Amino acid sequence: MPWVKTEDRARCHPKFFRAGCLSFGWWSAGLGYCNEHLTDGFIATRNLELVFPGMLPADREAAIESLVREGLVHVVSKGEHPDCHAPLCRRFRAREDGYLMHDFLVYQPSREHTENVRRVRSEVARKGGVESGKSRKQIASTTTKQNRSKPTNSLTRPDPT
């Protein structure tokens, strides 16, 4: 998915204001990471540094800690649900230790939805390619027939002038 959806005033929300700029940056990058990898809002602990490459580990830990404190990210342990009352967060069960972006699926498309859209687009493109091939073949066939019906004089020589 090439885009993430955020409210244009998210940066001014009191939770982000209290969390700080670096936390807002990590959270924004986290949305991108989750959409790119189709994780439905989950970030495994082992992949935390891939979310915002180059961020110092201490800064990353502080950012995540403040996001957790503000309820924007949930800590989840393997096999557990996040400690959140939001329906789409409660539905999630972690396959490994990590973090869940709060209400991710409320605003972002799910993995299932994205894969379905890609499948449909791929099929439409495939059908378009088949039809295009048929059209090109028909045009080539018509052009060949027209060229055959034109008399050719193989005895003519090019004009040297």
Side-chain angles (χ1 to χ4, degrees), residues 16-17 19-29 52 54-64 66-67:
F16 286 117
F17 180 79
C21 281
L22 203 53
S23 297
F24 180 73
W26 191 90
W27 177 84
S28 297
F52 206 170
M55 188 177 203
L56 297 172
D59 289 339
R60 181 174 48 252
E61 289 173 24
I64 294 170
S66 64
L67 291 167

Side-chain angles (χ1 to χ4, degrees), residues 74-76 81-85 90:
H74 307 298
V75 178
V76 285
H81 296 282
D83 185 22
C84 178
H85 297 292
R90 282 297 304 159

Side-chain angles (χ1 to χ4, degrees), residues 19-86:
C21 281
L22 203 53
S23 297
F24 180 73
W26 191 90
W27 177 84
S28 297
L31 290 179
Y33 173 89
C34 293
N35 268 349
E36 177 185 3
H37 298 284
L38 302 178
T39 69
D40 287 342
F42 179 72
I43 303 167
T45 301
R46 62 188 169 96
N47 294 333
L48 289 176
E49 68 181 286
L50 300 175
V51 172
F52 206 170
M55 188 177 203
L56 297 172
D59 289 339
R60 181 174 48 252
E61 289 173 24
I64 294 170
E65 184 179 302
S66 64
L67 291 167
V68 169
R69 183 185 67 242
E70 294 300 326
L72 296 161
V73 172
H74 307 298
V75 178
V76 285
S77 300
K78 182 178 180 177
E80 301 293 320
H81 296 282
D83 185 22
C84 178
H85 297 292

